[in-house]
C-alpha cells in the first residue's frame, strides 16, 4: 500500500509522520452499543458529546475534506446486536447504497489523490445473506474497491474469489498477542490491537517478542508484561526491558515509571504507551520476517507454548477517564457528576446585585447569587 506524500489535511492537522497509514473510519474501536438503530441514510455512533448519527452524505464529505490513506466504508452493522430475519434483508441493501455513495463522492472529487483506498465492508453474516451486495461489488465496483473491512475474521470466506487478493483490515477485539497470530493465520492483513491501550491504562509494560525465546530453564511460561504498580520497582534503576530501543527504555528506568504512576502523573501512561507500541511494532516485524522465510506456523506454536495465555493483572488505578475515553453503553447514567450548571436562573439577581466590596464574605456572595459556599 503506497504512503501518501503529506498533502492530506488530517495528516497535517495531527502532525502524523509520513510513514504511517492514516485510516478514516465511521466508528471508534472497539465500538460501543448505541441507543438508536441505523436508518436508510445513517448509522448510530458514539461521539465525544454522546450518542449521535452519522449520515452517509456527511461521511462522504468528511472523506473528501480529510483525505485519509484508507477510507472504511459504512456498514449497516450494530455492535453486540443479533439481527433478526427482517433486519438481515436490509443490511446488504443499505451497505451497498452507502458504498455506492462513497464511490461516487470520491470519483467526483477532483482533488482526491489517486492512491486514496476505499475498503468496502464485509458484513458479519452468512455469505448467502449478503450475496446481492457482494455480487454487485464484484460486477460493478471492483475497480473502485482497494480492500476489505471485516468485523469477524471468519468473514474472509465471504470475499468474492475474483477479489480475494485485496488486503483485509479487521475491526475485531484483540485482547492478547495470541489473537493477532490467530487472525493472521486466517488471512487478515491489517489489525487494530486494542489491548495496547488497555495494558497502558492498567500500568502494564509489555515484554513479549516474536519469535518467542522459548520456555525458561524452570519450564514455566513467560509473562507477557510486567505490572509497573508493583512496589518491587520503587528503587529499580534498570530499564523496563533490557536492550529495548524505545524512547522510554533508553531514557528512563523502572523506578521513575513507578514513581509517576504512584503520583498519578499522566507522563507515566505516556511513557508506557511509547514502550508498549514499540514492543508491538517489533512483534509485527518478527511476524513479517517469519512469514517471509516460511516459519510463521512453527513459531506461532512455539509462542503459544512459551508465553502465558493472558496479560498480567493490574494492581493499580488507571488514568481518569474523560470524554471520548468513557465507553458508556446506551442508557447508562453519567459516570462523573455535572461540573457546571446554567446561570439563566441567576441572571436577574446578578444584574441587580451591587459589585462586592473588599470586605464582603462568602455568605454575602452566596445570597447575591455569585456562588455557593462550600461546606466543610
Amino acid at each position: 500500500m503506497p504512503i501518501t506524500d503529506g498533502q492530506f489535511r488530517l495528516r497535517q492537522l495531527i502532525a502524523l509522520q509520513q510513514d504511517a497509514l492514516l485510516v478514516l473510519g465511521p466508528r471508534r474501536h472497539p465500538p460501543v452499543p448505541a441507543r438508536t438503530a441505523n436508518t436508510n441514510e445513517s448509522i448510530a455512533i458514539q461521539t465525544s458529546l454522546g450518542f449521535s448519527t452519522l449520515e452517509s452524505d456527511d461521511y462522504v464529505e468528511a472523506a473528501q475534506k480529510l483525505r485519509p490513506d484508507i477510507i472504511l466504508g459504512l456498514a449497516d452493522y450494530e455492535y453486540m446486536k443479533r439481527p433478526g430475519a427482517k433486519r438481515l434483508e436490509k443490511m446488504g441493501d443499505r451497505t451497498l447504497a452507502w458504498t455506492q455513495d462513497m464511490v461516487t463522492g470520491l470519483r467526483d472529487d477532483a482533488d482526491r489523490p489517486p492512491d486514496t483506498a476505499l475498503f468496502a465492508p464485509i458484513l458479519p453474516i452468512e455469505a448467502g445473506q449478503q450475496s446481492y451486495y457482494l455480487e454487485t461489488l464484484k460486477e460493478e465496483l471492483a475497480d473502485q474497491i482497494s480492500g476489505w473491512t471485516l468485523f469477524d475474521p471468519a468473514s474472509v470466506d465471504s470475499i468474492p474469489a475474483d477479489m480475494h487478493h485485496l488486503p483485509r483490515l479487521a475491526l475485531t477485539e484483540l485482547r492478547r498477542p495470541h489473537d493477532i497470530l490467530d487472525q493472521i493465520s486466517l488471512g487478515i492483513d491489517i489489525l487494530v490491537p486494542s489491548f495496547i491501550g488497555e495494558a497502558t491504562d492498567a500500568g502494564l509494560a509489555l515484554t513479549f517478542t516474536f519469535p518467542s525465546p522459548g520456555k525458561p530453564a524452570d519450564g514455566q511460561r513467560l509473562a507477557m508484561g510486567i505490572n509497573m504498580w508493583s512496589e518491587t520497582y520503587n528503587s529499580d534503576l534498570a530499564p523496563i526491558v533490557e536492550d529495548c530501543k524505545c524512547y522510554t527504555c533508553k531514557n528512563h528506568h523502572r523506578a521513575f515509571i513507578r514513581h509517576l504512576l504512584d503520583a498519578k502523573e499522566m507522563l507515566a501512561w505516556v511513557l508506557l504507551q511509547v514502550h508498549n507500541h514499540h514492543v508491538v511494532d517489533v512483534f509485527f516485524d518478527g511476524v513479517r520476517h517469519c512469514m517471509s522465510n516460511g516459519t510463521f506456523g512453527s513459531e506461532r506454536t512455539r509462542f503459544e507454548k512459551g508465553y502465558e495465555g493472558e496479560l498480567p493483572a493490574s494492581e493499580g488505578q488507571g488514568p481518569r477517564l474523560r470524554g471520548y475515553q468513557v465507553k458508556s453503553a446506551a442508557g447508562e447514567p453519567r459516570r462523573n457528576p455535572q461540573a457546571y450548571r446554567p446561570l439563566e436562573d441567576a441572571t436577574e439577581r446578578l444584574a441587580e446585585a451591587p459589585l462586592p466590596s473588599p470586605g464582603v464574605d462568602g455568605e454575602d456572595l452566596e445570597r447575591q447569587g455569585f456562588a455557593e459556599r462550600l461546606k466543610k
Side-chain angles (χ1 to χ4, degrees), residues 20-309:
L21 281 174
L22 182 58
V23 181
L24 176 64
R27 291 188 176 96
R28 62 182 297 162
H29 180 75
V32 175
R35 180 177 305 168
T36 58
N38 299 337
T39 69
N40 290 337
E41 293 80 26
S42 64
I43 63 170
I45 62 172
Q46 187 196 28
T47 71
S48 58
L49 300 177
F51 292 100
S52 183
T53 58
L54 175 64
E55 295 192 2
S56 177
D57 292 343
D58 293 336
Y59 189 53
V60 172
E61 183 179 359
Q64 293 172 337
K65 291 182 177 179
L66 299 178
R67 304 177 187 174
D69 296 307
I70 296 177
I71 302 168
L72 307 184
L74 288 182
D76 188 22
Y77 161 60
E78 295 182 349
Y79 180 62
M80 295 184 65
K81 292 184 180 180
R82 186 180 182 87
K86 293 183 178 179
R87 179 92 172 80
L88 289 172
E89 297 177 1
K90 298 180 180 178
M91 293 175 68
D93 295 339
R94 287 176 174 175
T95 304
L96 175 59
W98 296 336
T99 303
Q100 291 172 328
D101 290 344
M102 182 62 71
V103 167
T104 301
L106 295 178
R107 188 167 49 203
D108 295 343
D109 183 11
D111 297 329
R112 179 198 177 198
D115 52 359
T116 300
L118 171 60
F119 277 35
I122 298 289
L123 297 169
I125 57 178
E126 298 293 334
Q129 296 170 333
Q130 54 183 324
S131 58
Y132 177 74
Y133 163 63
L134 297 175
E135 285 295 321
T136 304
L137 290 184
K138 182 180 69 173
E139 296 176 1
E140 300 180 11
L141 303 175
D143 58 336
Q144 302 294 324
I145 304 300
S146 301
W148 302 104
T149 304
L150 285 74
F151 306 95
D152 182 347
S155 299
V156 169
D157 296 335
S158 300
I159 298 176
D162 296 344
M163 305 176 72
H164 217 265
H165 62 285
L166 297 178
R168 305 116 183 215
L169 183 150
L171 294 178
T172 54
E173 293 194 46
L174 304 173
R175 297 297 184 186
R176 54 189 191 142
H178 303 67
D179 298 335
I180 295 177
L181 299 176
D182 292 344
Q183 295 200 15
I184 291 175
S185 67
L186 293 174
I188 303 299
D189 301 299
I190 307 173
L191 302 106
V192 186
S194 56
F195 68 81
I196 302 178
E198 294 168 359
T200 297
D201 287 347
L204 302 179
L206 303 178
T207 58
F208 56 84
T209 61
F210 191 90
S212 165
K215 289 185 179 180
D218 58 7
Q220 298 294 320
R221 289 186 175 185
L222 298 171
M224 293 189 292
I226 58 178
N227 177 24
M228 294 306 301
W229 284 100
S230 174
E231 294 183 358
T232 58
Y233 303 121
N234 283 349
S235 58
D236 192 338
L237 301 183
I240 296 177
V241 176
E242 293 289 346
D243 299 324
C244 178
K245 305 301 182 183
C246 78
Y247 171 85
T248 301
C249 289
K250 289 193 297 183
N251 293 277
H252 302 291
H253 46 68
R254 296 177 177 181
F256 181 62
I257 304 298
R258 173 67 180 84
H259 160 71
L260 293 175
L261 286 171
D262 191 53
K264 303 296 190 296
E265 289 283 352
M266 278 305 302
L267 181 59
W269 291 283
V270 172
L271 293 176
L272 280 175
Q273 186 79 328
V274 170
H275 168 79
N276 288 342
H277 269 285
H278 177 79
V279 169
V280 175
D281 283 345
V282 174
F283 173 85
F284 274 103
D285 285 341
V287 169
R288 286 188 287 268
H289 177 74
C290 291
M291 293 181 71
S292 65
N293 61 24
T295 61
F296 173 76
S298 59
E299 291 296 347
R300 174 192 172 201
T301 301
R302 198 161 73 94
F303 183 92
E304 293 174 348
K305 293 180 178 179
Y307 281 103
E308 295 178 351

